[in-house]
Structure formats: structure tokens, C-alpha cells
Amino acid sequence: MRLELDVGGRVRTVSVEARGASLTVTLDGRPVDVDVARLGPGRYSLREPGTGRQHDVTVTATGPGGQVDVVVGGAVVAVTRRAANVGRRHGAGATGEGPQRLLAPMPGKVVRVLVKPGDEVVARQGVVVVEAMKM
């Protein structure tokens, strides 16, 4: 399984491959072997056999569209599964068919649309102007 996640405002690529009771989790190209034990609904114990490090993890759904809070070592991290372009090349030459989702780094209001429906866009081309207040 391959996912693209927004983790605390940073896009991360994660792939998970099951190997019996263990998983190989690849985070941004770096593989880590992990033993997983389910402790209850949304609660897991993760152990890295090579290092002996262990993490208790709690995952709680917080909103629609795959939004969850992940608690690891007392730290809460907001995670959202990104739907568009998983497994595709990003940047120049990226392709997509049908509606695609654009995510802004903060809430805001679209004040101007720079392209028309059906227009081809290239990497780094402006598509919309968003008005936002960062506090």
C-alpha cells in the first residue's frame, strides 16, 4: 500500500509492505522494519527489531477525508491522507485525469482563478490566488 500524507503541514510519501506479523514501512524512501501489535481499537505497539526502539501509538479519527490525530510519545501529530497523484511523478511532467485536489498550506478564500476549465497547467504555474491571514 502506498500513501501520500500531509503530516503537520509537510507532505510525506509512505509505503507499507506486510511480511507476516512484521511490516516494512518506507517513509520518504527510507525503509524501516517494524513489528506491530494491536493493543485495542486505534492503539498499537510498534517495535523496530534492529534498534529495539518501541513506540506506543494511538490513532484517532478527527474529521472527514481521512483526517486523524496520531499520538506518539505524548506528541500529537495531525495527519491527512492526500487523494491526488499517489504513486505518480510530481513536478514537471506530472499528469492527472479528471478533477484534481489542490491544497493550500493554510485556510483562506479564493479571490481569483488564473486558469479556465480545461486549460493545461504546468508545474509551478499559478492556478488560483488565495487570500489568507496567518496569525
Side-chain angles (χ1 to χ4, degrees):
M1 169 177 29
R2 187 178 168 132
L3 304 169
E4 190 172 272
L5 305 174
D6 183 321
V7 180
R10 182 175 172 199
V11 177
R12 310 295 297 264
T13 302
V14 178
S15 62
V16 180
E17 183 180 335
R19 296 176 188 254
S22 298
L23 301 173
T24 297
V25 179
T26 304
L27 176 63
D28 296 333
R30 188 180 141 253
V32 177
D33 291 323
V34 180
D35 291 334
V36 179
R38 186 178 175 147
L39 303 176
R43 293 186 55 227
Y44 305 90
S45 177
L46 308 176
R47 187 176 69 81
E48 297 177 52
T51 65
R53 288 189 289 190
Q54 187 163 335
H55 309 280
D56 289 334
V57 178
T58 303
V59 179
T60 307
T62 58
Q67 297 173 0
V68 297
D69 279 344
V70 179
V71 180
V72 181
V76 180
V77 179
V79 178
T80 304
R81 181 176 177 179
R82 293 176 53 128
N85 293 327
V86 175
R88 295 185 182 152
R89 267 183 32 193
H90 293 277
T95 61
E97 296 180 19
Q100 299 294 310
R101 187 173 190 192
L102 298 175
L103 297 177
M106 67 186 74
K109 178 173 86 172
V110 174
V111 293
R112 195 165 116 200
V113 179
L114 304 174
V115 295
K116 297 182 298 242
D119 283 355
E120 266 192 48
V121 295
V122 296
R124 309 307 240 166
Q125 176 184 343
V127 179
V128 297
V129 176
V130 177
E131 182 180 88
M133 179 186 286
K134 184 175 180 179
M135 301 181 113

